[in-house]
Structure formats: structure tokens, C-alpha cells
């Protein structure tokens, strides 16, 4: 544990000119006293760590010291080569750059770890697109990816319904979801200093999500934007995905569920809807069943989804949906009640 922490400390100091004891303690998840002891241990081992006192002081490496990647273990080296998604890199036009980087890392590894790229590729492969669809990378994705890397505003023309809209955007990040590429961005010049995951409303400075395959034109502008360092792409995407899931749930169904129905509900309906419905589930009635209110996309969708629960769920309302299941029950009784003579 300590050896790994010492290596991380050296790598942190290589990446920044100076770091204070509190900054190192936060990154390493230890106390400042432990940071002091670790710095002394590195110095005794020949790593030129220098401590500067005073308000502007901190720890730094002397003389441009660099360490090679000989401290990597096999598991770390193999995980390193799993960090890229080959298909996604290719679609963004970064395959050659990523390949060169992997070659450089491989050359820096100990001879005993040189087979890490091959062993990782033999064991793990990520196929991001969903089943039964032919993935097609948007033609404009490489241009958008370049702008994201370079913090350059883009003038984007995209389809919205039957019309086209032009926006000058600050492209913050790309997300690949089920084979579909999305851009998280906000209107150029409308940003304000944010906190947390970023502003997600609809006013000026709000971050929005755009499907790249709806772009019909992208011009990368000369102007760079100042990135809001408080923006958290994974956090923003998580919030957006959950908000979208809830936005399409426009109807409600009242259900009685058996204990088996409670367990199986998250597998039959939208997970967000199931979680909301089962939050604070009341005590079971005398037969061991509970009554919950479930948000659904539509009555038709609810009929399809809840059919998977079979006799473990009873629809109480709306009456029209209950009538659908009553008709299903009658047909099933007739079907399974037949006897061949």
C-alpha cells in the first residue's frame, strides 16, 4: 500500500511544478503528517523531493527529475491498455494518436510486462452499440472531437424537427451511449462560473445535450472558450439521463404486487420508475401484497411491460388498463383450458 502511494506521490509531483502538503494529502487520502514522512522516505531513497517553507511553499522535484514506468505491476499495466475504447477512438479520428501513445508506454514498461497489451486484448473487448443496429459514426464527429480537445467554440447547424437551427457552442464533452454520440455544450459567451456538475436548466449559461448525428454542419472557430472547471461530465450526463427517463413517464398506474412482483418490478419496467415506486414501500396487506403507484410512459407501454410480471401483479387503475389485463386473462384461460379429444 505504501509503495503504491509513494509512486503516486512522485507522479503527482512530476505533473505539477509544486504541490502543498494539504494538496498532496487530499490527492493521496492521507494526513499531512504522512505526506511529510513519505517525502522524507522518497528523499532517502534518492528521489530529489525538495520542501519549500512559507505561504507559497510546498513540495517539488528538483532538476526536472522524471521516473520511468518501472513501478507498474502487471494488473496496472493491463488495466492501462483497457482504458481506451478502440471503436470510439477510431470514430473520433484519434486512433493513430492513441496507437502511438500505447507504443510509447509499451517501450517504457519492464520487459516482463511487454505482453500486457496482448493479454488485455485477449480477455476484454467493449462492444458499445446496442443489439440489432448497425452503428454508423457521424461524419462530423472528428471535427467536434477536435474542438472538444482544443476548447474551441463551434458554429453548429443541426436539425430540430423539420427545421434547421444554428448555434455557436462551447463543446465541453462527448458521450457515447448505446452506439449514439452526444455533445454536452452551452451557448458561446453565455457561461457563468458554476459549481457541481454544471448548470442544467434552460436559461443562459445552461449546459445542453445534442445528438451529433443531427448535426448537418460544424465549423470550428478560432476563438477558444474558458472551460468551467466545476463542470463534471459524468455527473452532468447522469443527471441528464435520469431527468430524461423521468420526463417520458407521463402516466400513472396503481398496482398490487406480491413479494415476487416487488423483486421483479425493476427488471420489467424503467429502473428509475421502479425505484421511485418502491421507495418507502408500505407494509404488506394480510395476503402479503403491497400497493404502489408506478409512473409509466403510456398505458400501451405499461401493458407490455407489466405483462412480464404475470400473476405477480394486479392493476387496480386506470380502469382501461385493468380491462386489458382482464381480457388477457380470459383469453389465456380459454387457451389453456382447451383439452384435445
Amino acid at each position: 500500500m505504501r509503495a503504491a502511494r509513494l509512486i503516486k506521490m512522485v507522479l503527482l509531483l512530476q505533473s505539477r511544478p509544486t504541490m502543498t502538503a494539504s494538496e498532496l494529502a487530499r490527492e493521496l487520502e492521507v494526513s499531512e503528517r504522512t505526506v511529510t514522512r513519505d517525502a522524507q522516505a522518497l528523499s532517502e531513497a534518492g528521489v530529489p523531493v525538495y520542501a519549500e517553507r512559507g505561504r507559497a511553499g510546498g513540495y517539488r522535484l528538483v532538476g526536472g527529475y522524471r521516473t520511468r514506468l518501472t513501478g507498474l505491476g502487471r494488473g496496472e499495466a493491463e488495466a492501462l491498455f483497457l482504458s481506451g475504447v478502440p471503436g470510439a477512438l477510431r470514430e473520433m479520428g484519434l486512433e493513430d494518436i492513441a496507437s502511438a501513445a500505447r507504443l510509447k508506454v509499451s517501450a517504457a514498461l519492464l520487459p516482463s510486462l511487454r505482453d500486457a497489451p496482448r493479454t488485455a486484448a485477449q480477455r476484454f473487448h467493449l462492444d458499445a452499440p446496442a443489439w440489432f443496429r448497425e452503428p454508423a459514426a457521424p461524419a462530423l464527429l472528428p471535427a467536434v472531437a477536435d474542438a472538444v480537445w482544443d476548447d474551441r467554440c463551434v458554429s453548429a447547424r443541426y436539425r430540430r424537427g423539420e427545421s434547421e437551427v444554428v448555434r455557436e457552442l462551447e463543446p465541453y464533452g462527448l458521450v457515447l451511449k448505446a452506439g449514439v454520440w452526444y455533445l454536452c455544450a452551452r451557448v458561446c459567451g453565455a457561461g457563468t462560473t458554476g459549481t457541481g456538475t454544471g448548470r442544467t436548466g434552460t436559461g443562459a449559461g445552461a449546459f445542453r445535450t445534442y445528438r451529433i448525428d443531427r448535426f448537418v454542419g460544424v465549423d470550428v472557430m478560432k476563438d477558444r472558450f474558458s472551460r468551467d472547471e466545476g463542470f463534471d461530465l459524468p455527473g452532468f450526463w447522469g443527471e441528464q439521463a435520469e431527468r430524461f427517463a423521468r420526463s417520458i413517464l407521463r402516466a400513472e398506474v396503481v398496482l398490487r404486487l406480491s413479494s415476487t412482483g416487488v423483486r421483479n418490478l425493476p427488471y420489467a419496467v424503467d429502473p428509475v420508475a421502479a425505484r421511485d415506486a418502491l421507495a418507502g414501500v408500505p407494509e404488506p396487506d394480510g395476503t402479503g401484497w403491497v400497493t404502489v403507484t408506478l409512473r409509466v410512459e403510456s398505458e400501451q407501454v405499461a401493458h407490455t411491460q407489466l405483462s412480464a410480471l404475470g400473476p405477480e401483479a394486479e392493476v387496480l387503475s386506470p380502469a382501461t388498463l385493468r380491462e386489458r389485463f382482464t381480457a388477457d386473462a380470459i383469453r389465456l384461460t380459454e387457451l389453456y383450458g382447451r383439452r384435445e379429444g
Side-chain angles (χ1 to χ4, degrees), residues 14-312:
Q14 281 185 185
S15 64
R16 308 179 196 179
T18 303
M19 292 187 71
T20 65
S22 61
E23 289 173 337
L24 284 168
R26 185 168 57 252
E27 291 282 354
L28 299 172
E29 298 181 348
V30 295
S31 67
E32 292 187 25
R33 181 173 295 181
T34 299
V35 168
T36 301
R37 288 198 296 264
D38 285 352
Q40 183 176 351
L42 287 171
S43 181
E44 292 173 354
V47 178
V49 178
Y50 177 72
E52 294 179 324
R53 301 187 180 280
R55 294 182 59 185
Y59 292 92
R60 65 184 178 88
L61 293 174
V62 180
Y65 175 86
R66 309 292 294 178
T67 182
R68 296 186 59 177
L69 296 176
T70 52
L72 285 176
R74 171 163 293 278
E76 294 169 320
E78 290 174 342
L80 178 65
F81 286 96
L82 285 174
S83 61
V85 183
L89 292 170
R90 182 172 58 253
E91 291 176 5
M92 288 189 291
L94 299 174
E95 186 176 27
D96 290 342
I97 296 173
S99 178
R102 285 192 293 268
L103 286 173
K104 291 178 181 179
V105 173
S106 296
L109 291 173
L110 289 171
S112 61
L113 301 179
R114 297 281 168 80
D115 64 339
R118 179 180 59 82
T119 57
Q122 285 176 337
R123 288 163 173 79
F124 300 99
H125 174 68
L126 176 61
D127 186 7
W131 286 103
F132 311 118
R133 64 178 299 166
E134 190 68 29
L140 297 173
L141 177 60
V144 176
D146 284 345
V148 169
W149 278 113
D150 211 20
D151 291 342
R152 289 189 183 275
C153 290
V154 297
S155 177
R157 190 170 76 256
Y158 64 96
R159 295 188 304 275
R160 189 167 68 183
E162 299 299 321
S163 61
E164 290 186 3
V165 179
V166 178
R167 291 284 186 274
E168 291 187 357
L169 302 173
E170 297 175 351
Y172 266 69
L174 290 167
V175 175
L176 176 60
K177 171 70 172 179
V180 180
W181 284 96
Y182 297 88
L183 173 68
C184 300
R186 64 181 176 187
V187 175
C188 284
T192 57
T193 301
T195 59
T197 58
R199 295 165 54 90
T200 57
T202 58
F207 290 93
R208 297 178 176 85
T209 304
Y210 303 84
R211 279 185 59 147
I212 303 294
D213 57 8
R214 292 180 182 167
F215 284 12
V216 295
V218 171
D219 293 320
V220 180
M221 305 167 68
K222 293 182 179 180
D223 298 333
R224 282 189 169 88
F225 62 92
S226 297
R227 180 172 287 267
D228 181 353
E229 296 302 329
F231 178 74
D232 172 20
L233 180 59
F236 170 76
W237 178 258
E239 290 177 2
Q240 289 289 94
E242 185 159 327
R243 183 177 291 109
F244 172 76
R246 286 197 167 95
S247 72
I248 64 175
L249 304 175
R250 301 185 181 93
E252 287 187 348
V253 174
V254 179
L255 291 173
R256 287 183 72 239
L257 296 169
S258 68
S259 58
T260 300
V262 170
R263 289 196 302 271
N264 292 342
L265 185 66
Y267 305 104
V269 303
D270 180 88
V272 173
R275 185 170 69 246
D276 290 348
L278 297 176
V281 174
E283 290 295 321
D285 60 20
T287 62
W289 288 51
V290 298
T291 300
V292 300
T293 300
L294 175 72
R295 297 180 64 198
V296 295
E297 186 174 345
S298 67
E299 185 174 309
Q300 182 175 353
V301 171
H303 178 246
T304 301
Q305 293 176 332
L306 295 175
S307 293
L309 296 178
E312 307 302 331

